[in-house]
Amino acid sequence: MLLATLAGCSSTKSVPPGDYLYIGGDIKVNSTAPETDTKALETELAASIRPQPNISFLGMRPKLWIYNAMGGNRERKGVANWIKTRLGEPPVLLSEAHPDRVQGQMINRAYNNGYFSPTLEHSLDTTSKRKMARVHYTATVGKQYTIQHIQFPQGNDSLSIAIRETEPQSLLKVNDPYKLETMIAERLRVDEILKEKGFFFFDEDYLVYHVDSTQNNKVSIYIRVKDTTPPKALIPYRYQQVSVYTDYSLNDTLGDTQPPVQFKDYKYYPDEETFKARTILNAVFIENGDLYSRKRHLQTVNRLMDLGTFKFAEVRFTPRDSAGLDGRLNADILLTQAKKKSVRAEVQMVQKSNGYTGPGITVSFRNRNAFRGAELLMLNLVGSFETLVSGDSTRTSGLTSYEVGADAELHIPRIISPFNIRISNSMYQPRTRFMLGFRFIDRREFFQQNSFNFEYGYTWRQRATTEININPVQVQYSKLLNATPEFLEQLEDRPFLARAFDQQLIIGGNYRFVYNTQGIPGRKHQFYISPGFDGSGGLWGLFYRVKNKRPADPENPNQFRGQTLSQYVKLDLETRYYFNITDKLVLATRLLGGYGLPYGNSTVLPYIKQYGIGGPNSIRAFPARSIGPGVYNPIQSLNGENPVAQSFTYFDQTGDIRIEGNAEFRFPLLDPYLKGAVFVDAGNIWLVNEDPSRPGGKFSGNFMSQLAIGAGAGVRVDVQFFVIRVDLAYPLRDPTYPNGDRPSSGLFGTGVLNLAIGYPF
């Protein structure tokens, strides 16, 4: 109480004589009609109260305190002025509240909600000793007016008929309360429907309402078209000629300088040397003779921009005749090309959680129009050199690793399948994706490994919040080469790990669905939900079983051209929830779950499909792949074995099941770029089948007691397009510690500092 009193005195330090510090206002609604929802009306009228008082926390006003501490109304320079203006805020005064103006706005809001005879009063609650003031508003209203009759335009012209056809879906209903907000939404609804019926020049402002009130708190609403509406807004329009210009520049003037390519009914300029007409027009949804449709218009622009090969896309509409009264439009589609080819080189210095450190380089080539059909071709060459550098006495330094690889991706802006599929109701361009890649790894003291992968699939967005990725064909092949005796000895001691490094052939597919509302501005609650499925060997295993009339097992595996086929199914689910407390305060949460089941040929998932946990985007209090499975502790299990064996214990810390949860509270530190966060992470991985070499790794009913838990805080430099993140986290529970042996401090080891790019989720 003493601190609050002192803070209050400090808050009024810069209030001018004769004025008061404005600490807010409130509204009380009284009604002569008992059925009036006074609470809802109070919420509506309270939105008119201005201005907003100084930010307050537990009776204290920290930003105002900073302003006063830095000199208040006195002019300052340098750092003091920056602190005062950026971290502080001047006092909000009673003289700025203007209660009479606020009352007028409240009366307007009451009228707009069907209360036509309100009375408003206000009173001031001031204390000369503390120099603070609050404004109390009181409203008295009668019975709310309701709608008793609605009439749409009665004329026989095409516009009146089209408007009347929208009546069954009207937002205005008899016996509903009179609300201006509903009437505005009704005009927008009618205009939206008319735009799909060809009324290109119509605007919602051409619709007006005539409202008659009665003595029994009823109103009749008459919807009319303004008498001053232009003649061309009264008629629907059809396309006379649609033309496409694929080399348009912003300084160009349209002219038929050379004969166009005639493709169906379209005029296509200048030729097909750069873009094939069929591909570009596959993204066009307006045709000669069609009624104008705003949806098809916007869909055409979105699809053309989504091709990724144009910098700008515009559809320019002009009436066929100068008066514009014959109901005919010419549509010119103007496309400005983006740069076709680019080369990018990226040099990296990487330090991994397993102790390997070294440089890497990636060279990427991109062609946005590889085969004249807006195909995106990406070629990547990667190479890296790493050496094991560790101050840990249990590890051997100087071990080296090389990696080289190449991959190619081709994105084709249409669905390629045996069937003619054109997704015509989406605003986004569907794509077919082909990917082929190769990697060679040389872990000099352990092994060499070749791996190949190929994927063929589709991706499309049905709407802004949903995305679907289907890869019906997924082929991955890896082969272990030149394994050293030391490495083979470790595999003999770890049969499950040995199976993970076996020569592997994956033939299957995967599917992922994404629902994401983060891109919708102004939403208090935002969600991200992404389930996924991955599988291998199902169809081939069924064929093999029918052909050989017996099921396969690891001792008698199914084979494809002499190669053992991996068989598994894997389900994943990621959910995120963002609670936007204010524009700048966010509570972000995430829950991850995954389950992989090997069957048939396999007793363990392929190594590249197994789960790992920990690291800067996972449980930040533990290094990457340093948790689990279960309560397994690789260092204790080695029981003093040679350092070579301990140098790759991270191989063991993978699993078939994953559960992980994260919560993070985000807040501003120094607007607009420096932000802070406090967080807590929990999770672990487990095995589906028992592994004697990894005791305690199998999933069991007491999995909750085996969760690793960490907490910490961090700062982010967020410049919108780029985020640098630094997090310091401490382990609160380590599953490798038995309950009786937990440290008395509650902390399991020292903090882990994470430096990363982007938010963790």
Side-chain angles (χ1 to χ4, degrees):
M1 292 176 61
L2 178 61
L3 287 174
T5 302
L6 294 174
C9 295
S10 177
S11 296
T12 58
K13 181 179 178 181
S14 55
V15 174
D19 211 337
Y20 294 87
L21 180 69
Y22 175 72
I23 59 174
D26 52 62
I27 174 71
K28 173 67 176 177
V29 174
N30 302 312
S31 177
T32 58
E35 67 272 18
T36 302
D37 188 350
T38 56
K39 294 298 182 183
L41 186 56
E42 285 174 357
T43 301
E44 176 69 24
L45 300 185
S48 298
I49 298 176
R50 295 288 187 275
Q52 293 294 326
N54 293 103
I55 296 174
S56 175
F57 178 72
L58 297 178
M60 296 178 285
R61 296 167 177 81
K63 299 192 75 171
L64 178 56
W65 183 89
I66 293 174
Y67 178 86
N68 290 333
M70 291 294 107
N73 298 330
R74 298 199 311 271
E75 187 173 342
R76 301 298 298 269
K77 296 181 180 180
V79 176
N81 182 68
W82 184 89
I83 293 175
K84 185 179 78 169
T85 57
R86 299 304 296 270
L87 303 183
E89 63 180 8
V92 179
L93 304 176
L94 176 62
S95 58
E96 302 170 355
H98 304 294
D100 292 334
R101 298 180 189 176
V102 173
Q103 283 185 192
Q105 295 173 358
M106 287 184 175
I107 290 174
N108 287 336
R109 284 181 176 266
Y111 268 87
N112 294 343
N113 284 272
Y115 299 96
F116 291 159
S117 301
T119 59
L120 265 295
E121 298 175 346
H122 75 272
S123 62
L124 300 180
D125 182 2
T126 62
T127 56
S128 57
K129 185 175 182 180
R130 296 185 64 195
K131 297 185 67 175
M132 296 182 182
R134 177 179 292 275
V135 183
H136 301 292
Y137 298 90
T138 303
T140 303
V141 299
K143 184 179 179 181
Q144 188 178 27
Y145 278 72
T146 57
I147 302 171
Q148 71 172 0
H149 177 67
I150 306 166
Q151 186 184 82
F152 280 69
Q154 298 300 299
N156 293 321
D157 57 284
S158 58
L159 178 60
S160 297
I161 293 172
I163 294 175
R164 285 201 302 274
E165 289 175 350
T166 72
E167 186 174 357
Q169 294 81 38
S170 175
L171 302 177
L172 301 173
K173 306 292 183 183
V174 173
N175 296 325
D176 276 3
Y178 171 92
K179 288 193 174 184
L180 180 63
E181 182 182 62
T182 305
M183 298 170 69
I184 293 173
E186 174 69 2
R187 289 203 314 175
L188 294 172
R189 184 194 69 86
V190 172
D191 178 62
E192 185 176 342
I193 294 176
L194 293 179
K195 287 296 192 292
E196 300 306 310
K197 294 186 175 184
F199 290 88
F200 176 76
F201 291 103
F202 187 82
D203 189 88
E204 68 266 16
D205 288 338
Y206 298 149
L207 282 179
V208 295
Y209 292 101
H210 297 291
V211 180
D212 290 336
S213 61
T214 65
Q215 294 295 326
N216 59 347
N217 293 81
K218 299 286 185 180
V219 296
S220 296
I221 298 177
Y222 302 91
I223 304 174
R224 297 290 183 262
V225 179
K226 284 183 180 179
D227 294 335
T228 57
T229 301
K232 61 183 180 180
L234 304 176
I235 59 176
Y237 282 79
R238 293 184 179 273
Y239 298 117
Q240 175 70 22
Q241 179 61 59
V242 180
S243 304
V244 180
Y245 297 81
T246 61
D247 62 345
Y248 178 75
S249 174
L250 296 180
N251 298 323
D252 287 353
T253 56
L254 298 182
D256 299 340
T257 57
Q258 63 185 67
V261 174
Q262 192 71 33
F263 185 86
K264 296 182 179 178
D265 292 331
Y266 297 96
K267 290 184 178 179
Y268 186 84
Y269 296 92
D271 50 45
E272 293 189 278
E273 292 297 321
T274 304
F275 299 103
K276 297 177 183 176
R278 179 183 298 276
T279 299
I280 302 303
L281 292 172
N282 196 44
V284 174
F285 292 85
I286 56 179
E287 300 180 11
N288 294 350
D290 284 354
L291 280 170
Y292 170 80
S293 163
R294 180 160 57 185
K295 178 181 176 181
R296 293 302 187 187
H297 166 202
L298 296 178
Q299 185 182 25
T300 296
V301 174
N302 280 12
R303 286 283 191 102
L304 289 169
M305 287 299 296
D306 209 25
L307 290 175
T309 194
F310 296 111
K311 190 185 302 182
F312 304 106
E314 175 192 358
V315 183
R316 186 175 297 173
F317 300 97
T318 54
R320 188 179 65 164
D321 67 326
S322 57
L325 299 179
D326 68 344
R328 295 287 175 175
L329 287 175
N330 289 327
D332 296 320
I333 301 175
L334 312 177
L335 305 174
T336 303
Q337 298 177 21
K339 187 175 293 186
K340 179 180 176 181
K341 299 177 182 179
S342 63
V343 178
R344 176 180 177 179
E346 185 177 290
V347 178
Q348 302 172 327
M349 175 60 72
V350 178
Q351 182 173 2
K352 296 182 178 179
S353 60
N354 56 18
Y356 279 88
T357 301
I361 185 170
T362 301
V363 179
S364 302
F365 169 77
R366 176 173 293 200
N367 188 331
R368 298 176 182 269
N369 186 35
F371 307 108
R372 296 188 299 129
E375 301 91 352
L376 174 62
L377 175 64
M378 295 181 290
L379 303 176
N380 299 302
L381 298 175
V382 298
S384 66
F385 167 78
E386 300 169 356
T387 185
L388 183 61
V389 179
S390 175
D392 188 342
S393 61
T394 63
R395 291 193 169 189
T396 299
S397 301
L399 304 179
T400 57
S401 173
Y402 301 88
E403 180 177 347
V404 294
D407 59 71
E409 284 192 51
L410 180 64
H411 296 250
I412 302 174
R414 61 184 180 278
I415 298 295
I416 297 179
S417 74
F419 313 100
N420 184 20
I421 300 176
R422 189 188 189 205
I423 302 174
S424 59
N425 58 347
S426 171
M427 300 293 285
Y428 303 91
Q429 187 68 36
R431 282 180 168 79
T432 301
R433 171 179 171 269
F434 296 91
M435 194 276 288
L436 179 65
F438 165 76
R439 286 289 187 278
F440 172 74
I441 299 175
D442 185 357
R443 191 66 51 86
R444 298 299 299 271
E445 290 75 12
F446 298 143
F447 62 86
Q448 294 178 337
Q449 188 177 45
N450 284 333
S451 62
F452 302 86
N453 62 303
F454 171 78
E455 286 188 2
Y456 156 63
Y458 312 105
T459 178
W460 74 89
R461 298 170 66 185
Q462 192 64 25
R463 54 184 63 88
T465 57
T466 61
E467 182 175 339
I468 298 173
N469 293 278
I470 298 178
N471 293 306
V473 178
Q474 174 190 218
V475 180
Q476 293 179 277
Y477 173 73
S478 61
K479 186 175 183 179
L480 193 65
L481 304 172
N482 302 326
T484 64
E486 293 84 359
F487 184 71
L488 293 176
E489 180 182 348
Q490 299 307 315
L491 294 186
E492 288 179 5
D493 294 337
R494 299 172 175 81
F496 271 61
L497 185 61
R499 288 187 181 274
F501 273 94
D502 278 347
Q503 182 171 295
Q504 296 171 354
L505 176 63
I506 298 173
I507 300 179
N510 56 69
Y511 167 87
R512 182 159 296 278
F513 173 81
V514 176
Y515 173 74
N516 186 3
T517 63
Q518 287 182 267
I520 303 177
R523 293 194 61 164
K524 196 175 189 69
H525 306 279
Q526 296 177 325
F527 297 90
Y528 176 96
I529 303 172
S530 179
F533 169 82
D534 188 359
S536 171
L539 292 177
W540 179 252
L542 179 62
F543 171 77
Y544 187 92
R545 173 179 291 192
V546 172
K547 178 183 176 183
N548 296 279
K549 298 181 180 180
R550 62 175 176 82
D553 60 66
E555 303 302 326
N556 298 284
N558 299 338
Q559 292 190 336
F560 179 80
R561 296 188 177 274
Q563 303 296 328
T564 299
L565 189 66
S566 295
Q567 292 184 292
Y568 67 89
V569 291
K570 186 179 176 186
L571 300 174
D572 290 282
L573 176 64
E574 179 178 0
T575 62
R576 306 178 199 165
Y577 168 62
Y578 302 88
F579 177 40
N580 297 290
I581 304 169
T582 66
D583 291 341
K584 298 179 180 180
L585 300 178
V586 180
L587 176 63
T589 62
R590 178 178 67 174
L591 180 63
L592 295 168
Y595 181 82
L597 177 65
Y599 69 93
N601 288 347
S602 306
T603 57
V604 62
L605 290 180
Y607 190 77
I608 57 175
K609 297 293 183 179
Q610 294 178 7
Y611 297 110
I613 199 168
N617 294 317
S618 182
I619 303 178
R620 284 160 276 188
F622 297 83
R625 290 190 176 230
S626 65
I627 303 172
V631 297
Y632 168 67
N633 187 330
I635 301 300
Q636 290 180 359
S637 297
L638 288 172
N639 195 23
E641 287 190 29
N642 64 76
V644 174
Q646 297 193 18
S647 65
F648 56 90
T649 55
Y650 69 95
F651 278 128
D652 290 350
Q653 298 194 263
T654 59
D656 310 313
I657 300 172
R658 174 179 64 179
I659 297 176
E660 180 181 341
N662 316 87
E664 182 170 285
F665 179 63
R666 300 168 181 170
F667 50 88
L669 290 176
L670 295 176
D671 281 342
Y673 301 128
L674 188 62
K675 301 179 180 180
V678 292
F679 55 83
V680 60
D681 308 312
N684 206 335
I685 55 175
W686 294 268
L687 303 174
V688 168
N689 299 312
E690 191 70 58
D691 179 5
S693 65
R694 290 184 285 178
K698 185 179 179 181
F699 186 82
S700 62
N702 62 341
F703 68 94
M704 290 295 292
S705 65
Q706 299 177 359
L707 295 178
I709 302 177
V715 294
R716 293 95 165 86
V717 180
D718 186 349
V719 292
Q720 302 301 320
F721 62 90
F722 190 75
V723 177
I724 299 176
R725 173 167 54 94
V726 180
D727 290 328
L728 177 61
Y730 285 86
L732 303 182
R733 178 199 281 176
D734 188 331
T736 62
Y737 279 82
N739 289 345
D741 295 337
R742 292 179 178 175
S744 58
S745 65
L747 297 178
F748 291 81
T750 58
V752 175
L753 186 66
N754 296 277
L755 176 63
I757 302 298
Y759 287 97
F761 55 91

